[in-house]
Amino acid sequence: MAKKTFQVPSMHCTACVIRLEGIEDELPGVIRITASYRKQQMEVEYDESQVSDTQIIAIAKEHGYEAIPLV
Ligand SMILES: [Cu+2]
């Protein structure tokens, strides 16, 4: 199990939080996404044997959000 935080600078309202958190139901292997509009971040818990951070970044992009992994 992996947990990674991404900076999402293009979040502009609380509806973005709901859209980003909805990704957890779309991408197999993603267990939970917790997004914060105030922090402009989303925290993703995922099974790294099923899904990679590259795929998470790609699906966020499909929704119109740039997700930058924090080291
Ligand atoms: Cu928004």
Side-chain angles (χ1 to χ4, degrees), residues 2-53:
K3 193 189 256 190
K4 200 160 209 166
T5 302
F6 298 83
Q7 195 75 37
V8 188
S10 51
M11 286 174 76
H12 53 73
C13 67
T14 50
C16 295
V17 171
I18 294 162
R19 279 194 208 107
L20 287 165
E21 291 184 344
I23 291 172
E24 74 185 22
D25 297 322
E26 295 174 30
L27 196 58
V30 173
I31 291 128
R32 185 175 296 118
I33 298 179
T34 310
S36 165
Y37 172 55
R38 187 180 60 79
K39 292 189 207 167
Q40 303 270 287
Q41 287 180 354
M42 66 171 181
E43 190 179 80
V44 184
E45 288 176 61
Y46 61 101
D47 180 345
E48 65 267 60
S49 69
Q50 286 188 64
V51 68
S52 67
D53 58 351

